Amino acid sequence: MSAARAVRTCAHAPYSRFRVGAAVIDESGKIHAGCNVENASYGLTICAERSAIAVAVAAGAQRILGVVVITDANPFGTPCGACRQVLAEFADDDALVVLAGPRGATTVAHTVGELLPHAFRL
Ligand code: THU
């Protein structure tokens, strides 16, 4: 939660002004954080969740056990469809996706399988 909150301050979101911080925990207990990185060519934007997953993979992670996503959306921001599919590549259906606001006082948790039933996996 604190890693996601901290990295959210680094978000590059000059177009939407919607800052997102994400942190994943890998199979060895290491935490990897990422934020959204927008671009003037809007479609090139990278979401916080995929950013965190890329950081984790680059650090040697092979599995993701859980994710925290922090936004200031009300009630909570949930991962977009693309991020759900990318997450499903590294996380089991029962992995937790915890959604929180910037202060993190209230959270809600879903599983990967709830967010993306019947995920495509090879
Ligand atoms: N965004 C994320 O970082 N994660 C999501 O799952 C949904 C959307 C970002 C992308 C863009 O920078 C901003 O939020 C507004 O869509």
Side-chain angles (χ1 to χ4, degrees):
M1 192 77 74
S2 61
R5 191 179 303 122
V7 77
R8 183 171 172 266
T9 66
C10 301
H12 177 69
Y15 307 107
S16 72
R17 306 262 172 216
F18 187 72
R19 294 184 301 159
V20 186
V24 300
I25 185 162
D26 70 20
E27 73 276 20
S28 56
K30 290 189 197 135
I31 291 170
H32 310 274
C35 56
N36 54 329
V37 182
E38 297 184 347
N39 190 271
S41 178
Y42 297 166
L44 298 181
T45 292
I46 302 167
C47 291
E49 297 90 327
R50 276 177 287 158
S51 168
I53 292 166
V55 167
V57 172
Q62 297 196 321
R63 299 299 296 163
I64 288 171
L65 306 185
V67 190
V68 172
V69 182
I70 295 194
T71 68
D72 60 6
N74 191 357
F76 295 106
T78 62
C80 76
C83 289
R84 294 177 195 203
Q85 174 63 32
V86 172
L87 185 57
E89 180 88 7
F90 297 100
D92 294 337
D93 277 349
D94 62 358
L96 285 183
V97 180
V98 176
L99 312 174
R103 282 155 298 281
T106 309
T107 64
V108 65
H110 297 288
T111 64
V112 167
E114 285 170 347
L115 292 178
L116 187 64
H118 313 293
F120 176 69
R121 295 182 177 99
L122 290 176

